[in-house]
Structures are given as C-alpha cells and as structure tokens.
Amino acid sequence: MTTPAASPNPLRRAFAFLGLRGRPVLRSILLGVGGALSALGLAALSAWLITRAWQMPPVLFLSVAITAVRALGISRGVFRYLERLATHDLALGAMATARERVYRALADGAPAYSVMLRRGDILARTGDDIDEIGNALIRGVIPIAVGAVTSVAAVVIMAFVSVWAAVVLAIALIVSGAIAPWLAARGSARSIADGSAAAHRAADATLTALWHAPELTVARRRDRVLAAQIAADEESRAAADRGMRWQAAAAAATPLSMGVSLLAACLIGIHLASGLPGSLADVASGHGVTPMLFGVLILLPLSSFESTGPLTEAGIQLEQSRQAAARLMALIDGAGPAVPELTDGPLDRAIRTDPVAIEIDALRCGWPTGPDLGPVEGVTATLRPGSRMVVAGPSGAGKSTLLLTLAGLLTPHSGSTTCRSTDDGAVVDARAAVCYFAEEGHVFATSLAENLLVARGDATRAQLSAALDAVGLGEWVAGLPDGLDTELDGGAESMSGGQRRRLLLARALLHPAPVVLLDEPTEHLDDADAQGLLRRLLDPGGGLFGPARTVVVVTHHPVAQEDSMLSADVLRIEFEPVGVG
C-alpha cells in the first residue's frame, strides 16, 4: 500500500483521478484573468482620467476614456461572474465524479481492504477530502494563475512609467504572492495534518455514537464515546488556531508589501518631477513624468495587490488539498490495481446462479492483525447445495468474521475454504456465488421497492411483494400509503429494528446467489418470532429459501444441537468467547 508521504505529486494525481481536463481549467483561468486585467486597466485608466480631467480639457477629449472606464467596470463584473460559474461548475462536477470513482475503485478492488475500513475513514475520504481537492481548484489553482498573470501585466505597465518603480513592484508582488503563501503553507502544514486527524477521530466517534447508541447505552459506554468525540473536536479547533497564527502572519505581508510599493512609487514620482521647472502641472508637455502618468504610478500598485491578496489563503488551501489528495490516493492505492475504465461499463459483478459446494478445511479466521477466532481445531465442513449451517456463540466470538471469510472478503489465518461448481468441479470465485447480508445492512432513503432492487435489479413487483410477504412484512406494506412506492425518507429510522431486519432478509430472498450468509437475521425480534424465523431458515427441506440454496445463519442466541428446530441435517458450529469478531 502506498503511503501518503511516499506518493509523488498527490494533488496532480488527484486532479487526474477527478477527470479534470486542461481546456475547462484554462477557460476558467482565462475568465479570471479577464476580470483581473479589467480591474487593472480600470485602475490605470481611472488614474489617467482623473488627472487629465483636473486639467479641464474639452469634454470630447475625455469621451473615449469615459466610455472605456464604463466598459472596464462592466467587464470586470461580467468576467468574474462567468469565472465563478465556470470554476464552480468544473469543481463540483469533478467532485461528484471523484466520489463515484472512489466507490467504484473500492467495489472493484480487494474486498478485504474495503471491509477493514472504518466508516469514519470512508466518510472523511469521500466527504471532506474530496471537498478539499475541489477547493484546490476554486481557491488555489485558479487564483494563483490569475494572480501570476495579473502581476506580470502590472509590472509591464509600470515599466512604461518607471523601470525602478516596476522593479520595486515586482519584488513586492513576489513577496505578497509567492513567498508569503509558501511560508504560510509550510508553517501550517503540521497543524493542518493534526487538525485533519482529529476531525477524522471526531467523525468516527460520532458515527459510533449514532449507529450504536442503544448498545452503548446498555453497556454504559456512551459517555466515554461522547467524551472522545468532544476531545477530538477540541484538538481539531486547537490545531486550526495554530494554523491561523501562521496565516495571520503571512497575510500581513500583503499590506506591508503594498505600503512599501506605494511609498516607493511616490518617492520615484517625486524624484522624476523634482528636476523640472515648476509644479507637475507645468510639465504636462515637458520632460519627465506627466500628471496622468503620476496618477498611474500611484494607483496601479493598489490594484495590483488585489489579485495577490488572496494567495496566502490559496497557499494554505493547496497544502490542505495536498494532504487530502495524499489520503485519498492512498485509499485508492490500497484498494488494489487502478481500474482504467472507472467511468464506463456496469459496476455489478456477474452472479453465478448454478449450484456450488463450499469445502471448509480446518479453517481459522480473523482480521489480518487480530488473533485466530473460532474453534481451536478449526472449522471443517462441506456445504453442498441445500445445506443448512448455524453458527452460534456470544457477541465478539468471531462469527461475523467467519461469514466474511466464507464470502471471500477476508483471507483465512489458516486452513482453507474453497467454492466449487457441482457441475464440473471447477473452483469458482466465492464473491460471485455467495451473498453476504451483514447485520448492519444499509437502508437507503428512497422507496421501499428501490431498497429491495439493490439485491436484484430485474425483480418484478410481484417478486418484491412475494419476498416481503415471506418475511412477514406483507401486512405492514399493505398499510403503507403508497405500498412499495412509499418513500423511506429517514432510511433505517423510518422502520423499527424488527422491520429493518425483515427487510434485509427480503433482500436475501431476492438475491440470485446459490449460497446465502445471514448475520443475526433474528436480531430485534421477540423470542417467538425469532424461533419461528430460525426454523424456516434452517429447514433443509425447503423452508424460506427452498431446497436448492445453501444457508448459513449466525446468531448469538444459544442453539443446542438437540433443539427441536434443528434437524439431523443441520450443521451446528459453536464459537467460544475469545477475541473480537
């Protein structure tokens, strides 16, 4: 896995990943340059017009200048408005593309990697980090390009008035637009990294508190999680404060540079006029600087720094975006080889519907850096089409980890699990023949029908209704205002815990895979309903899933081998409370 520190030019890689093209970026830069040059020309022409009007020439002498000032004032606003539209449209479109590509890369990459990611990490990468990369374009690249072009134009214009004034202006603009932003970015780099890490810890603690509020309350650990979230928030604010000190110090460079440049322009203008006989008004047609050029000499620097003032913030933004890009690209690199056709073609992996058998030989499972879980001798079994297996044991014993291993999402610590076609005995990819339904499967904030179609996109409405009836939700659906088209606006919050569990089970019924792995399908159900549902799930003669599909059920409820719900054909595996599953 590539680490953020080892990734070369992460921001450039991230821009390529976002699909940014040169022509749209150039268009935004040109519009920004147009607005900045209009402002610069407006300042220079206004200075000339004010000093020329002071001489009270015939008004027709000023008509072209007056019209040009109006045109530049209007074009300045028009160019800036168009630049904002073009830049934000480009950035927002790229950010949407990036989020889609991140999910596609994770879905097409190594499954064990995405399974091990914390929710807070995925949320931070697809949320804040992609936002920061988009901000690099809006607040970093475009302003820097515009500032550079405008600064060069201002120095060139100033050179026509006074070479020495142009040299002073160039030095002041370099300090304001290059040195100060670089120092601010370098100085605040550590505080940016610390603040980002603290923000990610706060997000992870918040998600834990939201997703597991009932369990945390029962275990009396809710206050501990909330305290961790508050501490992470405080650390994030402290890091931001440290960065603001650097930003404030760097921001002071712009007014100081402007003051030095303006003072130098005044001194140079006085020097140019000092050797002439009389006042400045007397040299309108003489030698040296004219009143009009003197006005340009004074007012042009004021307008020049308008484009370099925001560059201190742009430098800090680029550092923030660089770190965000390093984290995002590390996430993509960790998922596996880059997928060139990220935006083309269907995302779904082809599902095998032909019968398969799963051969389990002395399997010990666990997370890559965790201990071995399950029976000491390992799990050994052969699950042929129509088999039923129940995995029992207390929470944290490794039952869910076993399902992830059987589904091909985790690599076994020892032993093996092999999925074979019963037609020709060929080894097949478990991910194409096994459907794993997690305990915390997501309920989307969309219609009930759409929540079922995620398991099988071509299912008919009759099949959707039949699946809901089979899991005991038929009466509930009949009472909904729009039936299958009822919007679950709050996602999982729109349903009770038992209804959510049955909805996830209905998805499993609709899924065409021949092997079904169910994690705690009876959670949040009362004892009577739970026992009845388990009997239907574990009935080898058909039951809920029929006689052709293999079903593995995980439950933390104790299930004795002599339990009446278990027939002689149901395999029972007992996990001891060791480690964390």
Side-chain angles (χ1 to χ4, degrees):
M1 174 177 171
T2 304
T3 61
S7 179
N9 299 316
L11 192 55
R12 184 179 300 176
R13 287 188 62 204
F15 280 164
F17 184 75
L18 266 63
L20 291 174
R21 299 290 185 267
R23 183 172 296 179
V25 175
L26 181 61
R27 181 169 60 247
S28 296
I29 293 175
L30 291 178
L31 289 172
V33 168
L37 292 182
S38 294
L40 196 64
L42 181 61
L45 187 56
S46 296
W48 183 92
L49 182 60
I50 292 170
T51 52
R52 186 71 178 96
W54 164 66
Q55 297 176 330
M56 293 183 294
V59 68
L60 290 179
F61 287 8
L62 306 176
S63 59
V64 174
I66 293 172
T67 303
V69 166
R70 290 177 177 175
L72 288 172
I74 294 172
S75 64
R76 174 189 180 184
V78 170
F79 276 125
R80 287 187 173 179
Y81 177 71
L82 293 176
E83 182 267 324
R84 294 294 188 274
L85 288 180
T87 302
H88 282 76
D89 178 68
L90 178 63
L92 292 174
M95 288 155 63
T97 299
R99 290 188 172 94
E100 177 189 356
R101 290 184 171 189
V102 167
Y103 286 122
R104 285 180 176 269
L106 291 176
D108 288 345
Y113 178 73
S114 57
V115 168
M116 290 186 292
L117 290 174
R118 297 178 300 176
R119 292 192 190 94
D121 288 338
I122 297 178
L123 180 64
R125 298 295 89 78
T126 59
D128 293 343
D129 284 349
I130 288 180
D131 287 346
E132 290 293 351
I133 296 172
N135 287 336
L137 188 66
I138 299 173
R139 301 177 183 174
V141 175
I142 302 299
I144 288 174
V146 171
V149 174
T150 307
S151 297
V152 171
V155 172
V156 171
I157 294 173
M158 185 66 83
F160 283 101
V161 180
S162 169
V163 174
W164 287 110
V167 171
V168 173
L169 179 61
I171 295 174
L173 289 173
I174 290 173
V175 171
S176 172
I179 296 178
W182 180 79
L183 290 175
R186 291 294 299 271
S188 59
R190 184 61 188 176
S191 63
I192 292 171
D194 292 343
S196 176
H200 294 165
R201 289 196 299 273
D204 194 54
T206 301
L207 286 173
T208 300
L210 291 175
W211 277 74
H212 302 287
E215 298 96 317
L216 291 172
T217 302
V218 172
R220 297 183 180 180
R221 295 181 58 189
R222 181 172 176 271
D223 291 342
R224 188 185 309 174
V225 173
L226 293 179
Q229 191 272 337
I230 293 172
D233 273 343
E234 291 294 336
E235 186 176 344
S236 178
R237 283 193 289 268
D241 290 341
R242 292 195 298 271
M244 288 301 295
R245 288 196 289 269
W246 281 97
Q247 184 174 354
T254 294
L256 290 175
S257 300
M258 183 188 300
V260 170
S261 178
L262 186 58
L263 179 60
C266 291
L267 294 176
I268 290 171
I270 293 172
H271 174 72
L272 291 175
S274 62
L276 299 177
S279 65
L280 291 173
D282 295 332
V283 298
S285 59
H287 305 286
V289 67
T290 66
M292 288 74 71
L293 293 181
F294 186 78
V296 174
L297 191 69
I298 300 301
L299 294 183
L300 186 63
L302 296 177
S303 179
S304 302
F305 286 94
E306 183 178 348
S307 61
T308 61
L311 296 192
T312 296
E313 181 182 349
I316 295 175
Q317 180 61 62
L318 284 182
E319 177 60 27
Q320 292 174 335
S321 301
R322 186 194 67 80
Q323 294 188 19
R327 291 189 296 267
L328 179 67
M329 299 317 299
L331 176 73
I332 300 303
D333 293 340
V339 182
E341 61 279 1
L342 283 171
T343 58
D344 302 322
L347 180 62
D348 292 338
R349 178 180 284 104
I351 303 298
R352 299 180 65 101
T353 58
D354 54 308
V356 298
I358 297 181
E359 300 170 359
I360 309 171
D361 183 21
L363 176 65
R364 297 297 305 279
C365 57
W367 294 95
T369 58
D372 291 349
L373 301 174
V376 176
E377 68 279 5
V379 178
T380 299
T382 299
L383 301 178
R384 302 194 180 280
S387 298
R388 299 291 187 267
M389 183 169 78
V390 59
V391 183
S395 297
K399 306 182 302 299
S400 299
T401 308
L402 173 63
L403 291 192
L404 290 170
T405 306
L406 294 179
L409 301 178
L410 286 179
T411 302
H413 278 197
S414 62
S416 64
T417 172
T418 307
C419 187
R420 296 184 184 276
S421 170
T422 57
D423 293 336
D424 55 14
V427 176
V428 301
D429 185 357
R431 292 173 292 168
V434 175
C435 61
Y436 166 63
F437 288 86
E439 180 182 2
E440 297 177 353
H442 191 69
V443 177
F444 298 92
T446 183
S447 69
L448 179 60
E450 291 291 337
N451 266 285
L452 293 173
L453 291 174
V454 297
R456 183 177 176 181
D458 61 349
T460 65
R461 295 182 70 85
Q463 290 172 324
L464 300 182
S465 297
L468 291 170
D469 288 338
V471 298
L473 288 179
E475 184 176 349
W476 174 68
V477 174
L480 295 176
D482 298 317
L484 289 172
D485 296 320
T486 301
E487 295 287 330
L488 303 179
D489 295 329
E493 300 301 322
S494 304
M495 315 173 72
S496 68
Q499 289 170 340
R500 175 174 173 270
R501 193 66 58 185
R502 292 179 187 272
L503 176 63
L504 298 178
L505 190 56
R507 285 182 184 171
L509 283 176
L510 290 168
H511 200 283
V515 179
V516 181
L517 310 179
L518 303 173
D519 195 351
E520 302 287 2
T522 60
E523 191 73 10
H524 300 295
L525 301 180
D526 59 44
D527 288 341
D529 286 344
Q531 294 295 319
L533 186 58
L534 275 176
R535 288 189 178 91
R536 297 176 64 196
L537 292 174
L538 299 175
D539 182 3
L544 199 59
F545 282 92
R549 302 181 73 181
T550 301
V551 179
V552 179
V553 176
V554 154
T555 178
H556 67 269
H557 296 293
V559 180
Q561 185 66 53
E562 61 273 11
D563 195 301
S564 60
M565 78 175 65
L566 297 180
S567 71
D569 297 326
V570 176
L571 178 64
R572 175 182 175 275
I573 303 295
E574 183 71 32
F575 271 51
E576 298 296 332
V578 178
V580 178

